[in-house]
Amino acid sequence: QVQLVESGGGLVQAGGSLRLSCTASGRIGSMIAMGWYRQAPGEERELVALITSGGSADYADSVQDRFTISRDNTKNTVYLQMDSLKPEDTAVYYCNLRGRIWPMNPYTDWGQGTQVTVSS
């Protein structure tokens, strides 16, 4: 079983910055990718950014050039540096882990979520 512990959310003014962290522990196996999704009230959960085991990163168009995802493999931790925040970035941000414990099928786990609120 995998545990994902998130931190770093909070309240910030528009134009400000926050950094989210997510640390995975437990029976992870091989990590395929880690990333961040977000869900605003009344909206569906959407991908924000993810980074693969090989280091390739992918971003939503809405956060491209403002957010940066990175990871520390030694700590099983992924970070999301969020700069130039906008009120529309307000949401609950969820950490996501995709892994595999051979020979079982790949799995997906989610963190509990951390609130990010950007005031105008």
Side-chain angles (χ1 to χ4, degrees), residues 18-21 36 48-49 59 67-70 78-82 93:
L18 284 173
R19 190 175 86 148
L20 306 182
S21 299
W36 293 92
V48 177
Y59 298 92
F67 291 10
T68 303
I69 191 169
S70 61
V78 65
Y79 306 95
L80 185 68
Q81 178 66 40
M82 305 186 292
Y93 284 68

Side-chain angles (χ1 to χ4, degrees), residues 8-120:
L11 173 64
V12 65
Q13 288 188 331
S17 298
L18 284 173
R19 190 175 86 148
L20 306 182
S21 299
C22 174
T23 298
S25 62
R27 195 179 178 214
I28 299 170
S30 299
M31 188 179 299
I32 298 172
M34 286 187 77
W36 293 92
Y37 288 69
R38 67 186 181 188
Q39 187 167 20
E43 302 290 332
E44 293 188 353
R45 192 172 297 189
E46 63 175 1
L47 173 69
V48 177
L50 65 82
I51 187 165
T52 69
S53 59
S56 298
D58 191 23
Y59 298 92
D61 289 343
S62 59
V63 307
Q64 188 77 44
D65 298 327
R66 298 189 297 122
F67 291 10
T68 303
I69 191 169
S70 61
R71 65 197 174 105
D72 184 338
N73 289 340
T74 64
K75 299 179 180 179
N76 289 330
T77 298
V78 65
Y79 306 95
L80 185 68
Q81 178 66 40
M82 305 186 292
D83 298 318
S84 303
L85 282 160
K86 304 175 181 180
E88 50 263 44
D89 293 319
T90 296
V92 177
Y93 284 68
Y94 295 92
C95 180
N96 172 276
L97 166 66
R98 302 174 194 172
R100 185 173 189 179
I101 301 172
W102 189 267
M104 294 182 284
N105 291 330
Y107 67 87
T108 297
D109 264 302
W110 295 91
Q112 293 297 310
T114 184
Q115 177 70 45
V116 171
T117 302
V118 184
S119 63
S120 57

